[in-house]
Amino acid sequence: MKFYDALQLDPAILKQKIAACNTGREKTYYWIAMVARSVLIVAFAIVFISLLSGVFGADNTPLAVALFCIMLGIRFVNFEYCIGDSLVTLAAALAILVLAPSAAAVVPPVFLVPLHFTAFFALLCMTAQRPEMGNGGLYSFAYIYLTGNPVVGEALVRRGLLALAGYLICGTILFIKHRDQHKTTRFHQVMRKFDLSVPVHLWQLRMALGVSLVLTAGQVFGVERFMWMGFACASLLSEYPYSGNPTTRFRQRMVGAVAGSCAFFVLYLVTPEAFHTWMGPLGGLCLGFCADYRYKTAMNCFGALMLATGIYGLQGAVLLRIVDTLLGVTFGLVFAALFHRLAGVRFLPALDSSEGA
């Protein structure tokens, strides 16, 4: 395998190849690829996000982060319909990511659930026809992150311009990588086939409803850093194939959040202050070696806590991370059980019979 091709592989696949190697030289080759991949991604992320933040303002850094993630994902995963419709829906998705979070910050609470549900459900329908490929988690992360970091006025105009720049970058990659795929499939054809007895469509509905409810609850009750609740809840509901019992993901998320928060706390205390600004990139670097969901969750804590420590202090940020995660996964677990019970009356028997066929 060429070194460039090895750099494109997920850490889980690289670790499988390392385990299957017969010689130390082969193992070293793939370990070097894994290290290089992680370093290059973090370095590129710093340059890309810093550049866009410098041009469009630090208050729009969250969208720069989201665009970086979308850009990485769109190289490998398309929307499962023709390139013309895909480019249109990419523009629509970015418009939702710009406008809906800012609207949610100013509308009366009574409109929050309809707004979040409509925006998030549309986002999933446009981008996540195959949830197992990761688009559901990618665009849900972007929506929740931006909802927790809304802007208004002149900053919103700059956010729109940043989204336009992101569209030109991501749209170009989408066209180059996927223009010859799904040529005969149109977006409206996909939408006409919407049926809640189909697992992916039931998953989309549950995901959109659950996330819209947890975000609304966080905003209405004034939960600090409520987007962390949203991330935790979405992590349970994004699991695919559809399952009415996400208890395994519940435990993994909590274990990862507690372990990552405690590791950050200890490392922050024992390292010099000059090192603290690098703890976010350190988490990103370590993330490049993680294949297990628990470890990924732990490493994701580093960047989040680095930003929050400047606002809430070290102890406040760590405690808030753990509490918000607990609230989010508990909400997700209860919601998944209720949704499964209600959906089972009408939709799940048909779903089960279709899977058996």
Side-chain angles (χ1 to χ4, degrees):
M1 176 181 289
K2 294 181 180 178
F3 192 71
Y4 175 81
D5 294 330
L7 292 176
Q8 310 306 310
L9 297 179
D10 185 86
I13 298 177
L14 285 170
K15 288 188 175 182
Q16 289 175 5
K17 289 188 173 295
I18 291 171
C21 288
N22 296 319
T23 66
R25 183 175 181 179
E26 289 179 306
K27 290 180 184 291
T28 301
Y29 178 82
Y30 285 114
W31 273 115
I32 292 174
M34 190 182 300
V35 172
R37 175 187 180 276
S38 184
V39 170
L40 289 172
I41 289 177
V42 172
F44 183 47
I46 293 173
V47 173
F48 182 86
I49 295 169
S50 298
L51 179 61
L52 292 183
S53 299
V55 174
F56 296 98
D59 46 5
N60 283 317
T61 298
L63 180 57
V65 173
L67 288 173
F68 176 76
C69 296
I70 292 171
M71 179 180 64
L72 292 184
I74 214 164
R75 295 180 304 155
F76 304 106
V77 184
N78 56 53
F79 298 151
E80 301 288 319
Y81 39 85
C82 67
I83 189 62
D85 289 1
S86 295
L87 290 172
V88 172
T89 52
L90 175 62
L94 292 178
I96 289 173
L97 292 176
V98 170
L99 299 175
S102 294
V106 297
V107 300
V110 69
F111 296 118
L112 282 175
V113 171
L115 173 61
H116 282 313
F117 176 78
T118 302
F120 198 70
F121 186 63
L123 201 60
L124 291 178
C125 287
M126 289 188 292
T127 64
Q129 302 307 314
R130 293 183 62 194
E132 66 272 20
M133 300 302 292
N135 265 4
L138 172 60
Y139 287 90
S140 68
F141 160 78
Y143 185 87
I144 295 167
Y145 192 29
L146 293 170
T147 298
N149 294 276
V151 292
V152 295
E154 187 265 342
L156 181 58
V157 175
R158 285 188 279 108
R159 182 163 289 190
L161 293 175
L162 173 55
L164 178 59
Y167 175 75
L168 294 176
I169 296 171
C170 296
T172 300
I173 296 172
L174 180 65
F175 180 82
I176 292 174
K177 294 290 187 179
H178 306 290
R179 64 183 181 275
D180 295 325
Q181 300 182 39
H182 309 288
K183 288 185 175 182
T184 61
T185 305
R186 302 295 305 275
F187 176 68
H188 66 83
Q189 294 172 334
V190 175
M191 291 300 98
R192 285 176 183 171
K193 295 179 181 179
F194 187 86
D195 184 348
L196 289 177
S197 65
V198 176
V200 64
H201 299 150
L202 190 65
W203 174 89
Q204 289 170 341
L205 176 64
R206 187 183 71 166
M207 181 83 167
L209 184 57
V211 170
S212 64
L213 288 173
V214 76
L215 289 179
T216 298
Q219 290 178 266
V220 169
F221 291 107
V223 178
E224 291 289 338
R225 225 67 176 172
F226 67 88
M227 64 180 179
W228 287 350
M229 285 176 56
F231 292 145
C233 178
S235 73
L236 263 68
L237 302 180
S238 64
E239 191 174 14
Y240 191 84
Y242 172 92
S243 171
N245 184 28
T247 52
T248 299
R249 183 62 68 93
F250 175 94
R251 291 193 298 269
Q252 291 175 335
R253 186 77 185 191
M254 279 308 307
V255 169
V258 172
S261 298
C262 291
F264 178 89
F265 183 84
V266 172
L267 194 60
Y268 194 94
L269 290 177
V270 301
T271 54
E273 186 175 351
F275 177 77
H276 293 167
T277 56
W278 292 100
M279 289 180 66
L282 174 64
L285 190 67
C286 294
L287 192 63
F289 298 91
C290 296
D292 188 283
Y293 177 74
R294 292 168 297 179
Y295 299 134
K296 290 180 179 180
T297 299
M299 291 301 102
N300 277 327
C301 289
F302 276 58
L305 288 171
M306 189 64 255
L307 295 174
T309 297
I311 303 172
Y312 304 102
L314 177 60
Q315 293 183 2
V318 168
L319 182 62
L320 188 60
R321 179 72 174 186
I322 294 173
V323 171
D324 279 357
T325 299
L326 178 61
L327 290 173
V329 293
T330 300
F331 183 97
L333 192 66
V334 173
F335 172 80
L338 292 175
F339 183 90
H340 190 73
R341 179 179 293 272
L342 294 173
V345 174
R346 181 172 181 181
F347 303 116
L348 292 178
L351 188 154
D352 291 338
S353 63
S354 68
E355 288 181 340

